[in-house]
Amino acid sequence: KVIPGPDHMKEIAELVYENYKAHPTTIIQEIETDPALELTGTQAVNKTIVFNVEDLKQLINMTPYKYKFDKAAYDELVEMSVTISFIIIKARRCKAHL
């Protein structure tokens, strides 16, 4: 399973929300406490990408942030660096539950 990391697109979130909050998740804990599953590993993938204005708007338009942006702020976007962050979660079914 691949989920957003805590800082995924944080720079965009900071433009939309007054107080930025990292992406919360309980998926790893849910897997660890599920007797039918065994967590076999996790891997964090983080990268900062510089987006020109056109690509930045396309990125925003693919996300729920599109509906939260103030039109004036959207129209005034400039080139910026954006954190892309994911967590790859590897798990398997326990043999006892097959």
Side-chain angles (χ1 to χ4, degrees):
K1 184 171 190 85
V2 178
I3 61 172
D7 291 332
H8 185 61
M9 296 177 62
K10 71 176 182 176
E11 297 82 0
I12 293 172
E14 290 171 338
L15 296 174
V16 173
Y17 299 109
E18 191 171 313
N19 296 312
Y20 167 74
K21 293 181 185 176
H23 288 277
T25 184
T26 59
I27 293 172
I28 294 171
Q29 293 81 8
E30 290 170 23
I31 292 171
E32 290 175 327
T33 58
D34 186 333
L37 297 174
E38 176 186 359
L39 182 67
T40 60
T42 61
Q43 179 181 354
V45 178
N46 299 292
K47 183 172 183 149
T48 302
I49 301 173
V50 177
F51 286 91
N52 64 39
V53 175
E54 181 181 323
D55 291 342
L56 182 61
K57 287 182 177 181
Q58 288 181 15
L59 175 66
I60 292 166
N61 288 338
M62 296 187 310
T63 73
Y65 292 124
K66 171 184 180 179
Y67 304 103
K68 305 221 182 255
F69 249 95
D70 175 74
K71 179 160 175 30
Y74 183 83
D75 291 341
E76 295 173 6
L77 286 169
V78 296
E79 177 180 284
M80 65 184 287
S81 295
V82 177
T83 301
I84 305 300
S85 175
F86 295 98
I87 300 172
I88 301 168
I89 303 168
K90 296 181 263 182
R92 65 176 169 222
R93 288 226 174 265
C94 293
K95 290 182 181 180
H97 289 88
L98 291 178

